[in-house]
């Protein structure tokens, strides 16, 4: 995939995301929402940072299984049950993102939700990627 990250100077400087991503490739991979489930189907981690790391790892595992890499991510949505907690942990979550996915940020949104499918889940991440 070729990805052009577009961050116009007329918009506030993005931190940990891109305002727009122009992706060119031949395959689109839609990634289902991932929470902090382990291989036995149980939520792991009691904190937002721990669950975020597992959820992102799960998303990237699915992406790699489809033949992609983190740089192929074009769009990601993060669903959090507490946006204030997400903001409070933003620096930690950013470090986790960079360690697992690098610095080629996709277009991104964070949305607060009342709850997720599993009541213990604090965060869910979905997205799509464009592969070469």
């Amino acid at each position: 995939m070729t990805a052009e990250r577009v961050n116009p100077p007329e918009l506030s400087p993005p931190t940990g995301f891109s305002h727009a991503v122009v992706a060119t490739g031949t395959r689109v991979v839609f990634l289902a929402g991932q929470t902090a489930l382990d291989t036995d189907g149980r939520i792991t981690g009691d904190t937002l940072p721990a669950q975020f790391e597992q959820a992102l790892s799960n998303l990237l595992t699915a992406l790699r299984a489809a033949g992609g890499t983190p740089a192929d991510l074009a769009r990601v949505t993060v669903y959090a049950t507490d946006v204030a907690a997400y903001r409070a942990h933003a620096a930690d979550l950013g470090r986790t993102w960079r360690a697992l996915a690098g610095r080629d940020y996709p277009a991104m949104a964070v949305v607060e939700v009342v709850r997720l499918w599993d009541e213990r889940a604090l965060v869910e991440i979905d997205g799509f990627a464009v592969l070469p």
Side-chain angles (χ1 to χ4, degrees):
M1 169 186 82
T2 60
E4 175 188 1
R5 270 84 176 156
V6 180
N7 294 300
E10 299 85 7
L11 298 176
S12 66
T15 304
F17 70 96
S18 294
H19 284 291
V21 175
V22 179
T24 305
T26 59
R27 295 176 54 212
V28 177
V29 177
F30 295 92
L31 298 159
Q34 298 292 325
T35 60
L37 290 176
D38 64 12
T39 56
D40 294 323
R42 291 183 297 235
I43 293 291
T44 62
D46 294 323
T47 66
L48 179 62
Q51 287 197 17
F52 180 86
E53 182 173 359
Q54 183 65 52
L56 180 57
S57 293
N58 291 348
L59 185 85
L60 295 176
T61 296
L63 175 58
R64 286 185 183 101
T69 69
D72 296 323
L73 287 168
R75 174 93 171 114
V76 168
T77 303
V78 177
Y79 303 92
T81 58
D82 185 345
V83 168
Y86 189 94
R87 290 176 61 97
H89 292 288
D92 292 331
L93 302 178
R95 280 189 289 278
T96 297
W97 180 277
R98 289 186 298 279
L100 297 177
R103 292 181 176 270
D104 293 325
Y105 298 112
M108 222 176 207
V110 176
V111 178
E112 185 171 88
V113 296
V114 173
R115 67 167 288 229
L116 296 163
W117 182 261
D118 187 308
E119 290 183 5
R120 291 194 56 233
L122 303 173
V123 65
E124 183 169 334
I125 306 170
D126 74 7
F128 70 88
V130 180
L131 280 54

